[in-house]
Amino acid sequence: MTWGGLSTRDEMCLSYLMYYPRINLARCESIPDIKEQLQFIGVKEIYKPVTSWPFIIKSPKRYNNLSFTEAMNVYQWSKKKGNSFNEHVKQIPINIRCSKHESREWSVQGMLLTPPEVKTYTSEVPECASFFSVSSSAVSSTVRYVLIVLSTVIHYTF
């Protein structure tokens, strides 16, 4: 598992945002909802009240008194489970949270947003190809030939 963060051992992805007017802001981050990530690995309960990060897991017993990071490291990952987890994370709400310059604690809960819709695009068959039942490579060859002939005619005409 590679964790995201600001350490040289972490995967770093930094974005910069310019805004106006100035506010007392130290940093912001977005992360898929942690409780839903923990549900994926079988966490049932965390100690409450949850006021700061990292919070501590209460149950099940194998995760008792572990933090989010520790529990994710204890979980027995496989390639199949990792792929399933990646698909799961794409569907859960995203927690966007910020902290002020003088704040020593990092807020656990920010604003929850639904994940962005991911669309997959496939190339479409050109209308003329489907109308005449001609392959796209034949159409592109024909178009290339027509352009060469047309440019030759234009060149000799002028």
Side-chain angles (χ1 to χ4, degrees):
M1 170 120 7
T2 302
W3 294 102
L6 300 176
S7 163
T8 55
R9 295 181 183 185
D10 296 331
E11 173 65 31
M12 290 184 245
C13 180
L14 300 175
S15 298
Y16 295 92
L17 171 70
M18 294 193 299
Y19 59 91
Y20 182 84
R22 180 179 177 199
I23 58 175
N24 187 17
L25 187 63
R27 75 178 203 189
C28 289
E29 75 173 13
S30 60
I31 185 171
D33 188 61
I34 292 171
K35 291 176 186 174
E36 292 209 33
Q37 289 185 61
L38 287 172
Q39 285 176 359
F40 179 89
I41 66 168
V43 169
K44 304 289 184 206
E45 187 179 10
I46 58 175
Y47 285 104
K48 299 200 176 174
V50 177
T51 57
S52 65
W53 175 262
F55 53 84
I56 304 301
I57 297 167
K58 189 173 186 178
S59 70
K61 191 174 183 177
R62 71 176 176 260
Y63 298 126
N64 186 35
N65 290 323
L66 297 180
S67 68
F68 170 81
T69 307
E70 292 166 335
M72 290 301 228
N73 284 332
V74 165
Y75 185 69
Q76 297 297 307
W77 292 98
S78 66
K79 187 172 182 115
K80 183 177 179 181
K81 288 178 184 176
N83 289 335
S84 180
F85 179 74
N86 287 341
E87 290 305 312
H88 174 71
V89 166
K90 290 178 189 176
Q91 306 301 317
I92 62 178
I94 298 170
N95 183 2
I96 300 171
R97 55 194 188 169
C98 298
S99 68
K100 295 182 178 181
H101 279 288
E102 69 273 349
S103 177
R104 297 195 188 279
E105 286 192 1
W106 186 240
S107 170
V108 171
Q109 190 63 48
M111 177 174 52
L112 283 178
L113 296 176
T114 56
E117 183 180 342
V118 178
K119 295 180 181 180
T120 305
Y121 291 97
T122 56
S123 60
E124 296 178 14
V125 177
E127 287 183 33
C128 59
S130 61
F131 181 75
F132 292 108
S133 299
V134 180
S135 73
S136 60
S137 62
V139 169
S140 64
S141 296
T142 306
V143 169
R144 243 189 329 260
Y145 175 73
V146 168
L147 288 175
I148 291 169
V149 170
L150 187 57
S151 67
T152 305
V153 168
I154 292 170
H155 177 73
Y156 287 120
T157 307
F158 295 101

